[in-house]
Amino acid sequence: ANVVTTDVQTLMEKNTGKVLFIDMTEAQTMATTPNNTPSYLDLALASSFISEIIALIPTSLMETASKTFVEELSALHSRGEYLPLPVYELLREQEVLLNPKSVEIIDGIIASMQMQQ
């Protein structure tokens, strides 16, 4: 949805890791340039959002989070929707979240998008 927020607040179910985002008052839609590149400020917000979310994931649920991440990314792509290349590059830097399948998917997307440029 190209929405980012800072000061992430969630309610998380301990056993399953299901998350409910609360207090989205600081959320905003990322603006993009004509070539679908987020602004520097939006990339900074996205980076902050990613870091905050990862920090909220208990170690015991990291593998579940990684699997869910792959499922959500796959669902997004099955609808023909893609994130801007710089966002994939930000996600690729998140070694703590990514399992080998996540890395494979993101690397493939990055390579494909770079070839199209």
Side-chain angles (χ1 to χ4, degrees):
N2 285 335
V3 174
V4 293
T5 189
T6 55
D7 189 25
V8 175
Q9 297 179 41
T10 63
L11 296 176
M12 185 180 296
E13 209 286 322
K14 281 190 213 180
N15 297 323
T16 65
K18 289 189 179 200
V19 176
L20 173 65
F21 290 93
I22 57 173
D23 187 10
M24 298 292 284
T25 55
E26 295 181 38
Q28 62 184 16
T29 302
M30 291 183 4
T32 56
T33 61
N35 65 353
N36 201 32
T37 302
S39 70
Y40 180 80
L41 177 59
D42 284 345
L43 283 175
L45 288 170
S47 179
S48 175
F49 175 76
I50 292 166
S51 296
E52 287 185 51
I53 290 295
I54 290 173
L56 292 171
I57 302 170
T59 305
S60 62
L61 292 175
M62 194 57 73
E63 185 59 31
T64 300
S66 186
K67 288 177 185 174
T68 301
F69 173 73
V70 169
E71 290 169 3
E72 292 297 322
L73 198 56
S74 296
L76 181 74
H77 298 159
S78 71
R79 295 189 305 268
E81 299 177 39
Y82 292 86
L83 302 170
L85 177 59
V87 175
Y88 286 108
E89 292 169 339
L90 282 174
L91 290 169
R92 179 60 177 89
E93 295 171 2
Q94 308 308 314
E95 299 287 334
V96 69
L97 175 65
L98 302 177
N99 64 20
K101 182 69 173 172
S102 303
V103 170
E104 180 182 320
I105 289 171
I106 291 175
D107 284 349
I109 293 165
I110 290 172
S112 174
M113 292 178 96
Q114 288 172 336
M115 288 176 57
Q116 293 175 7
Q117 289 183 346

